[in-house]
Amino acid sequence: MRRSENHCQRPRYKLGCALAAVALITVGACADDLGKCDPQAASEVVYSSQGLAATKGQALVHDSCGQGVFCHSAAATRAARYGAPAGMNFDTLPSPLGWPNIIDRRDAIWKAVRNGTMPPGSIGQRKLGHTVWTVDIGLSKQAPQLPEMSTTAGKAVLRNWLACGAPIVAATRVPSWAQPSVLDGDGGASGPPDWSEIFNDVVKPSCATSGCHDVSSSGHLSMVDECSAYNHLLEPGLCGVKRLIPGDSSSLLVSKLSASKPSCGGVMPPTGLLPSAVVNQIAAWVETGAPAMHCGAP
């Protein structure tokens, strides 16, 4: 087993350049019966309204194999298993406890789904549901949604996911500050995160240690340390303007994260925009003065 964290090499809304809280786990591609593997497609992440993050195949297996309650779930006993053999559990959410079983039975799982024997028709219709998963953490109506397993598109997603070694999101919840409808104790919207949260949850894994803004100082901007990264953002960059102006949500930093054509240079991350909820929270942080308490900035 190996960990895969190619943070700066995935298209829009991929795992690494979206959030630090999620980390892919995968193994090598499996038998030829499953066909070719498209690793980028297999690693694409979808999000639910409950704040869960999962790869597309991981989400499909959860929805179609038990939803943590029926059939191929460790929580299912006796009649609730509907004939699923004891121990053959494929739980993927909220924790991927069934991942080893999925790996061991990749070919058999695909054969059963391809032949239409799994999920079983009547039981599947009564007991298994279809969660709304989208590629946008903000769950916008325009964002593409994950197809159901019963569709041709859904089967294609499953086949490729299995062929690529069933990559999964190991930590399935995104940071609370980046979720779309977080409420504070008074029932109002929670405030923006502190720089420490942004750095640890997004910048450090996605920019500082991913081969981009590391010790090589890509773009003359090193972000390997929380406070030095913050101070460097306050300095002028190659464009001749400060990257971050506290209180100004139109700062270059926000522009490069949110605009298809930034005011200067290319979009960041270079493979596409971050989920809108993350960008909105960072913009809100900038607008409220870009607080960085651990670095002496209120």
Side-chain angles (χ1 to χ4, degrees):
M1 185 173 14
R2 68 173 185 271
R3 293 185 180 272
S4 173
E5 296 180 295
N6 299 320
H7 294 287
C8 289
Q9 298 178 0
R10 301 191 181 105
R12 189 175 185 180
Y13 301 131
K14 293 305 185 288
L15 179 66
C17 289
L19 295 165
V22 287
L24 282 178
I25 297 180
T26 185
V27 298
C30 58
D32 293 337
D33 290 345
L34 287 167
K36 294 182 179 180
C37 159
D38 180 345
Q40 288 189 335
S43 298
E44 187 170 12
V45 174
V46 289
Y47 304 91
S48 76
S49 59
Q50 289 76 40
L52 292 176
T55 59
K56 288 183 172 181
Q58 181 181 6
L60 279 177
V61 169
H62 170 73
D63 282 6
S64 304
C65 298
Q67 290 192 323
V69 179
F70 304 105
C71 302
H72 293 283
S73 172
T77 59
R78 300 181 181 180
R81 294 196 70 86
Y82 289 93
M88 193 181 292
N89 304 320
F90 301 146
D91 299 284
T92 63
L93 294 170
S95 299
L97 301 177
W99 188 69
N101 281 334
I102 294 171
I103 293 300
D104 290 343
R105 296 172 171 84
R106 280 177 286 177
D107 293 292
I109 291 171
W110 171 236
K111 182 178 180 180
V113 172
R114 182 187 60 193
N115 294 341
T117 56
M118 290 290 168
S122 60
I123 295 175
Q125 291 175 8
R126 295 199 314 269
K127 295 297 182 183
L128 306 182
H130 174 60
T131 304
V132 175
W133 299 87
T134 77
V135 299
D136 183 356
I137 192 173
L139 303 177
S140 65
K141 294 181 179 179
Q142 293 76 26
Q145 293 185 2
L146 179 67
E148 296 186 46
M149 181 87 81
S150 59
T151 65
T152 300
K155 288 182 173 65
V157 168
L158 178 71
R159 183 212 61 76
N160 183 65
W161 181 70
L162 293 171
C164 291
I168 57 174
V169 175
T172 60
R173 287 199 175 274
V174 301
S176 60
W177 58 264
Q179 294 182 24
S181 300
V182 180
L183 299 179
D184 61 23
D186 297 326
S190 64
D194 179 70
W195 169 247
S196 182
E197 294 176 289
I198 294 174
F199 181 83
N200 288 312
D201 289 343
V202 181
V203 175
K204 184 176 181 179
S206 301
C207 309
T209 59
S210 58
C212 299
H213 295 285
D214 52 17
V215 290
S216 63
S217 300
S218 175
H220 301 284
L221 174 59
S222 174
M223 305 187 78
V224 294
D225 174 77
E226 178 181 337
C227 292
S228 63
Y230 180 81
N231 290 329
H232 288 160
L233 286 174
L234 295 173
E235 299 172 351
L238 296 178
C239 299
V241 298
K242 291 184 178 180
R243 303 178 177 101
L244 168 64
I245 301 176
D248 185 358
S249 59
S250 65
S251 294
L252 180 61
L253 170 65
V254 180
S255 174
K256 291 177 76 67
L257 292 176
S258 60
S260 57
K261 292 183 179 180
S263 56
C264 176
V267 67
M268 290 293 160
T271 50
L273 301 180
L274 296 178
S276 58
V278 176
V279 176
N280 290 341
Q281 285 289 328
I282 293 176
W285 167 75
V286 174
E287 191 169 355
T288 56
M293 293 180 289
H294 289 93
C295 302

